[in-house]
Amino acid sequence: MLDIAPLVRVHVDALLAAQIDMGVCDAIERNAPVGKPADMSAPHLPKVAGIDSTVPSPAHTTAPVPPVHPSASALPAIPGAGIQDRLAGWVSDLTPLHELTERLIKTGSLDEALREVLRAGAALVGARRGMAVLEPGDGLGPTSTIGLGLAHADLGTIETVPRSATSYGRILDGLPEPAPEPAPELDPRHREVAARLGYAASYALPLATEAAGKLGAVVWLYDEPAEPTERRRHLVGLYSRHAAEHLARLLELERARVQVATVAEELLPSRLPRVPGVQLAVRHRTGPQGGGDWYDALPLPEGALGLAVGSVSGTGPSALAAMGRLRASLRAYAVMEGEDPVAVLSDLELLLRLTEPARSATALFAYSEPKQRRLVLAGAGHTPPLIIGDHRTEFVETSLSAPLGMLACWEAPSVEIAPAAGETVLLYTDGLLRRTGDPMDRAFARLHAAAASVPRADRTDPGAIADHVLRTLLPEGLGHAVDGEDVVLLAARFE
């Protein structure tokens, strides 16, 4: 974003440019008389972060990196003293760099990593604000813009500047930097935005790796005309290369997660059916690795409705494929003999045992007659449903059974329940309980408490009930789960 002052430009020799990946530094000219050199171009005392050391640093500027150990020229000449001082300086530089890199590799998402890059880079170059733009060169996304010390409106203001007029934009577009002589005229819009946001200089670096190519760019903004010293540029260049490698790995993981989530969504119902006498709502989230949790709501003859949830063992594409086959098979069995949930699950057990003997699964199937408010259900190793109403909140007592594929012959008696008008039956997978991080008995107690605390005004809407349970049980939301657990909540409110 620097591109800000025609008379002030950092000159980097070829060797240093290779070390820092061609960082770009510019400054806005401020009251520099014609024919006289700008303050940053004229000879001056050594600077800290590009700011004249005779001028006190602004209080809001990030604390500078500890200075390199001075040479021992004032001491008597000692053989090897210069080398020792240089080694000590290298150690003092590498220590904070190692700490910043360790913090970076602990980040687990692209946005979190970009924020850490901005914070660490600001400390290394002595800036206060900055912006990181993720824009992979292959055009496959995802794209993201993260700010440091900049509000969302500030980021939008910066993006109104033509990209070719900003240093980070030229990096993203692969454009060459304009020659310093003659100095290029600053774009009027860029000058206006810089004055509005109160920055006078900036320093930009590309984010790229040899394998992944261009990933994006990062730029730090100075409140005063300034530039990072050669030592700071070298350190932030080293850091940015480590950051680019880490971002490339996170980008690959994010793309894989999105692909898995897309496949999972395509294998599940695109919409819930509308059946008189019952309202349906579902909340579903696929874990980062792609699990096998699924749900279904199938209209059946004579106004009946089949409800099902289940989970296939394993993660990844193979689990998704098995989940799709299992759900499709259950739909077929439900059409043929849905009035007998035990027969449906028995057929499913036989199919799984013959076609995928190395895999197990849990499932719960309920045959519902909404107008009569009647459900007949059976489960195979699955968590019990939960009834939520004005006068009761209780788990349905189902027969204990092993998961599908675990026994040579599976059969357990079905259970019939009759929800009252206005009551909601909540079906869910054990991923909801596992995401709490609590032991299962504690997780069940928390689920019951969350369901019991649904406000009375929300009990007329099954979607509001599901959202309340999720917010109460998982305050951090359905973000990326470390353990890759899927979550399914299927709510059916009977009128």
Side-chain angles (χ1 to χ4, degrees), residues 203-271:
Y203 182 69
L205 279 175
L207 295 171
T209 67
E210 183 178 352
K214 182 189 69 178
L215 301 175
V218 60
V219 58
W220 293 278
L221 307 177
Y222 294 96
D223 296 339
E224 302 293 338
E227 65 182 79
T229 62
E230 290 186 5
R231 168 176 163 266
R232 287 177 176 269
R233 290 197 298 270
H234 176 67
L235 287 176
V236 77
L238 292 175
Y239 179 81
S240 68
R241 286 198 291 274
H242 289 292
E245 294 290 347
H246 182 62
L247 287 170
R249 289 190 291 269
L250 291 179
L251 178 63
E252 184 178 355
L253 291 174
E254 176 64 14
R255 286 178 173 178
R257 188 198 69 78
V258 170
Q259 291 174 354
V260 166
T262 302
V263 172
E265 293 298 329
E266 291 296 326
L267 292 174
L268 295 174
S270 58
R271 62 182 180 87

Side-chain angles (χ1 to χ4, degrees), residues 427-453:
L427 311 180
Y428 55 94
T429 59
D430 60 359
L432 174 66
L433 304 175
R434 296 185 186 281
R435 281 212 186 192
T436 64
D438 293 332
M440 293 303 288
D441 56 345
R442 172 62 178 165
F444 274 115
R446 289 183 56 188
L447 174 59
H448 184 276
S453 66

Side-chain angles (χ1 to χ4, degrees), residues 44-242:
H44 51 276
L45 296 176
K47 298 181 296 181
V48 176
I51 302 177
D52 194 332
S53 59
T54 61
V55 180
S57 301
H60 53 253
T61 302
T62 304
V65 177
V68 179
H69 290 273
S71 63
S73 57
L75 300 176
I78 301 176
I83 296 178
Q84 293 178 0
D85 288 340
R86 291 180 63 185
L87 289 174
W90 291 342
V91 171
S92 67
D93 287 344
L94 293 177
T95 299
L97 187 63
H98 173 73
E99 294 175 354
L100 293 174
T101 304
E102 286 291 317
R103 287 171 51 182
L104 175 65
I105 63 177
K106 293 179 181 179
T107 58
S109 68
L110 286 170
D111 285 356
E112 185 183 2
L114 289 172
R115 289 190 179 90
E116 179 58 33
V117 170
L118 281 173
R119 286 193 293 266
L124 291 173
V125 302
R128 182 175 68 94
R129 295 180 291 175
M131 182 176 75
V133 180
L134 179 69
E135 190 176 299
D138 56 13
L140 300 178
T143 61
S144 178
T145 301
I146 301 295
L148 173 67
L150 296 171
H152 184 72
D154 298 335
L155 297 176
T157 301
I158 293 174
E159 290 176 345
T160 63
V161 180
R163 279 173 56 128
S164 60
T166 63
S167 56
Y168 83 92
R170 291 192 294 269
I171 290 174
L172 292 174
D173 293 338
L175 300 176
E177 281 299 308
E181 295 297 342
E185 183 66 25
L186 189 67
D187 184 275
R189 180 58 182 164
H190 194 182
R191 188 183 299 276
E192 176 187 347
V193 168
R196 179 184 303 179
L197 298 183
Y199 66 88
S202 64
Y203 182 69
L205 279 175
L207 295 171
T209 67
E210 183 178 352
K214 182 189 69 178
L215 301 175
V218 60
V219 58
W220 293 278
L221 307 177
Y222 294 96
D223 296 339
E224 302 293 338
E227 65 182 79
T229 62
E230 290 186 5
R231 168 176 163 266
R232 287 177 176 269
R233 290 197 298 270
H234 176 67
L235 287 176
V236 77
L238 292 175
Y239 179 81
S240 68
R241 286 198 291 274
H242 289 292

Side-chain angles (χ1 to χ4, degrees), residues 304-327:
L305 176 69
L307 299 174
V309 292
S311 177
V312 175
S313 62
T315 58
S318 63
L320 289 176
M323 177 264 284
R325 292 190 293 269
L326 201 67
R327 172 178 169 267

Side-chain angles (χ1 to χ4, degrees), residues 106 108 287-289 315 434-435 476 479-486:
K106 293 179 181 179
Q289 299 178 6
T315 58
R434 296 185 186 281
R435 281 212 186 192
E476 297 181 358
H480 300 339
V482 176
D483 55 8
E485 293 287 348
D486 291 7

